[in-house]
Amino acid sequence: MTRTPFMAANWKMHLRAADIDDFCAEVRDALAGSTTAQRGVRVGLFPPFVYLPRVVEALAGVDVTVGSQTARPEAKGAFTGEVNVEMVKDVGATCVIVGHSERRHVFGETDADVRARLDAVLAAGLDVILCIGETLDERQADQTLAVVGRQLQAGLAGLEGDVVAHRVTVAYEPVWAIGTGLTATPAQAQEVHAEVRRQVGALLDDDTAARLVIQYGGSVKPENVSELMACPDVDGALVGGASLAFSSFGSIVDFDKQGSGNTGVDR
Ligand code: PGA
């Protein structure tokens, strides 16, 4: 079963127009000559809303996914300050992150809110990254697998397997590892990734589970990406801090040149 690794830069509320222009120029230099299939890695950039059109334009013709960090599901309405799925689609985004732990914990989004966003993104024909992950308290209470199981059930139950296999990426991001410098060990990541795949098999079907791309997120950096990618069920990374400079994000995209031997082929 071939799964193309997916390396995604989640810039959160960082970088300004000039930084973004420089970053996009470096992406163009590095990637304009190859397709995702040729390089064997899908690359995604998730800028703040206001810079989405700028990134889409700067990377026109380059085989890179440009997406939004969130989007509301409602078609329209009195939601001062918010942006919906159709709006990010209008400006050329092709993917939306839903359920990031900062959306869940800082903005209070529930499992049901996350599902409403995911459904709206799929209905609009866009791809989606569904983030799941346990807090430190939940891990210490031995609740990790139960929590990710609940989040997967809420996020994916009832969807068509083929749609999930093609258009959904799951990002396992232990909340205690996000922005803290603490990374799950490869063994910890692999344990949860294997369980995510098993649970998706039980929820949907085994073929969908085998094709599902599962990213790891939480303090991924050039120094640890190879060992994480060497895990059989780790298919990519959702990267925050280390995605803010192309010097480090580019090395993460090039993880297979750092000795892990994991090229995404026939795993
Ligand atoms: P981090 O963030 O790489 O800075 O830990 C990851 C994320 O929040 O997606």
Side-chain angles (χ1 to χ4, degrees):
M1 181 57 59
T2 303
R3 296 189 295 270
T4 303
F6 185 10
M7 298 302 186
N10 172 14
W11 289 342
K12 308 189 182 184
M13 200 173 70
H14 295 287
L15 303 184
R16 299 285 298 276
D19 311 312
I20 288 176
D21 291 349
D22 289 348
F23 196 110
C24 289
E26 292 186 85
V27 171
R28 179 171 278 286
D29 280 352
L31 303 182
S34 61
T35 63
T36 297
Q38 286 166 338
R39 73 180 88 98
V41 182
R42 178 180 179 190
V43 177
L45 302 179
F46 293 80
F49 284 136
V50 291
Y51 298 122
L52 270 172
R54 194 177 193 101
V55 175
V56 167
E57 274 168 41
L59 294 175
V62 183
D63 193 359
V64 166
T65 298
V66 180
S68 163
Q69 299 169 16
T70 181
R72 281 200 77 89
E74 297 85 357
K76 58 184 173 179
F79 297 101
T80 301
E82 292 286 88
V83 170
N84 72 16
V85 171
E86 293 295 337
M87 292 170 181
V88 301
K89 182 179 177 181
D90 272 349
V91 298
T94 59
C95 187
V96 179
I97 299 173
V98 302
H100 189 278
S101 73
E102 288 147 22
R103 300 299 313 180
R104 293 179 190 264
H105 299 293
V106 181
F107 300 98
E109 290 179 9
T110 63
D111 282 341
D113 293 329
V114 173
R115 178 58 183 262
R117 284 160 172 70
L118 183 139
D119 284 342
V121 174
L122 291 178
L126 306 185
D127 294 346
V128 63
I129 297 178
L130 168 65
C131 299
I132 59 173
E134 82 288 2
T135 62
L136 185 58
D137 283 351
E138 289 163 342
R139 176 161 282 264
Q140 287 171 342
D142 217 9
Q143 290 300 304
T144 298
L145 301 184
V147 168
V148 301
R150 189 201 76 220
Q151 292 171 332
L152 284 172
Q153 157 91 34
L156 300 178
L159 293 177
E160 204 185 305
D162 218 41
V163 170
V164 173
H166 275 113
R167 290 170 48 208
V168 178
T169 298
V170 170
Y172 168 58
E173 300 204 301
V175 178
W176 49 271
I178 295 179
T180 58
L182 296 173
T183 318
T185 63
Q188 285 173 322
Q190 172 56 27
E191 182 197 13
V192 180
H193 281 234
E195 176 67 9
V196 168
R197 207 175 296 288
R198 194 192 67 72
Q199 295 203 17
V200 170
L203 262 177
L204 302 174
D205 61 86
D206 288 341
D207 177 58
T208 300
R211 291 155 71 201
L212 179 73
V213 171
I214 308 174
Q215 296 174 321
Y216 170 79
S219 301
V220 174
K221 40 189 185 274
E223 297 75 35
N224 60 22
V225 66
S226 298
E227 61 182 19
L228 289 160
M229 288 301 290
C231 300
D233 289 296
V234 175
D235 307 316
L238 182 55
V239 188
S243 77
L244 299 178
F246 190 73
S247 53
S248 64
F249 184 62
S251 306
I252 291 170
V253 169
D254 277 344
F255 72 93
D256 59 336
K257 301 194 179 62
Q258 302 182 34
S260 80
N262 180 345
T263 60
V265 176
D266 285 331
R267 285 182 292 140

